[in-house]
Amino acid sequence: MLLPRYGHGDRFEGLFFKGTFCGRGRYTWSDGGFYEGAYLDKGRLPHSISRGMRNGYGVRWWTSGNRYEGDWNDDHMEGEGKLICASGSVYTGNFHRNLKSGPGKEQWGNQLGVSYSCGMNFTHKGRGYCRYDGNYQNGVFHGSGSYSCIDGRAYIGEWQNGERCGVGRMVLCPASERGNPARRCIGGLNGLYRPLTYFGRWVDGQRTGQGRLEMMDGQVLEGQFARGLLEGYASVSFSDGSSQHAFYECGTAGPHCPILPG
């Protein structure tokens, strides 16, 4: 086994065939990161474009603390793999040319009480995990998928380029802020007057288009949303079974607009 060192500080420990990496080996970069795994045996073919490239199963460590374990094809993470990040996120699923692609699962969090930002950019105090189960494209959520947060917020529906886009249902209010529903949400954070769930259309992560908003006090608002807020006439159903129609401006019933009986 040869142990060559290169002028830029990198070194390789493993097997060669006609001057190229072939079989198993370990390549260590000058910064301390390394790859250990397979190099394509087809490198024995004199005209193969894959000669000396990572192909097959291997593990790549970065000095940042990130680690990938899985399949490689022509020096790219390709196929089934697992990406473990120093930030605490763990992804298991498919890769295409180094990016998450196709079906996969990902989680964020820790059990140490260390604050972290999850995949939906919510900040949490730790001691638990947020999880996504669905499809990816170009490294981000894309297609159908479900997301659940440690604090009780959740979304299931369609995604596009990492944002909620299409039809989906979301639990909007964190569990700790809802209070006791049997006591008019006492103990929550103004929970009685907050929206609990939304089902309808989304565009670029915002409620946009036809939708249905369920409030903590039992009211149900149905109508058109723009930039996350009700706009125009909407139907309002109450917990006692009665209903009305009202005109909304930027999410608030217009003070000078008539409220019509349902």
Side-chain angles (χ1 to χ4, degrees):
M1 180 180 290
L2 299 175
L3 302 176
R5 290 178 179 269
Y6 302 97
H8 42 60
D10 296 355
R11 66 180 185 274
F12 178 76
E13 305 169 44
L15 301 173
F16 284 80
F17 182 78
K18 292 186 177 180
T20 60
F21 310 150
C22 182
R24 290 196 58 80
R26 177 184 173 114
Y27 191 99
T28 304
W29 282 265
S30 58
D31 64 3
F34 68 87
Y35 167 83
E36 185 168 3
Y39 291 86
L40 188 65
D41 281 331
K42 290 182 180 177
R44 297 174 187 271
L45 301 175
H47 301 295
S48 171
I49 62 172
S50 299
R51 295 181 67 189
M53 293 185 180
R54 291 165 286 183
N55 278 273
Y57 181 84
V59 178
R60 170 71 160 102
W61 282 84
W62 287 268
T63 55
S64 63
N66 296 347
R67 181 173 86 251
Y68 171 78
E69 308 168 356
D71 296 331
W72 295 78
N73 183 62
D74 291 352
D75 272 349
H76 292 100
M77 297 183 291
E78 185 87 22
E80 292 284 335
K82 184 175 184 178
L83 181 63
I84 304 167
C85 294
S87 63
S89 67
V90 179
Y91 169 82
T92 304
N94 284 297
F95 288 81
H96 176 62
R97 297 189 68 82
N98 297 330
L99 297 175
K100 305 165 197 171
S101 183
K105 297 181 180 181
E106 192 165 4
Q107 73 173 31
W108 298 257
N110 59 79
Q111 293 290 352
L112 305 175
V114 178
S115 295
Y116 67 93
S117 179
C118 75
M120 288 186 69
N121 296 320
F122 298 138
T123 299
H124 307 284
K125 295 182 179 180
R127 301 206 180 279
Y129 298 91
C130 302
R131 293 181 171 88
Y132 173 79
D133 186 349
N135 286 288
Y136 290 76
Q137 182 173 292
N138 294 326
V140 296
F141 309 153
H142 191 93
S144 60
S146 61
Y147 194 101
S148 60
C149 271
I150 183 178
D151 63 8
R153 285 178 283 189
Y155 175 82
I156 181 169
E158 298 173 309
W159 304 78
Q160 187 173 345
N161 298 324
E163 298 283 359
R164 290 158 287 174
C165 195
V167 177
R169 180 182 185 274
M170 184 166 182
V171 179
L172 300 166
C173 187
S176 63
E177 300 176 9
R178 298 174 198 170
N180 185 348
R183 301 185 61 198
R184 302 289 287 173
C185 300
I186 292 175
L189 185 61
N190 200 27
L192 183 61
Y193 306 104
R194 295 178 63 178
L196 176 61
T197 64
Y198 170 80
F199 175 78
R201 299 202 64 84
W202 298 77
V203 175
D204 294 335
Q206 292 188 320
R207 301 185 292 268
T208 303
Q210 183 67 29
R212 173 188 174 97
L213 194 66
E214 298 181 9
M215 309 296 289
M216 289 291 297
D217 63 0
Q219 284 190 60
V220 178
L221 313 176
E222 293 189 64
Q224 292 288 323
F225 288 76
R227 299 175 299 281
L229 302 172
L230 266 173
E231 287 286 350
Y233 278 101
S235 66
V236 184
S237 302
F238 300 92
S239 56
D240 63 4
S242 62
S243 62
Q244 294 179 331
H245 286 82
F247 188 86
Y248 281 79
E249 296 176 319
C250 297
T252 303
H256 304 296
C257 298
I259 297 179
L260 308 176

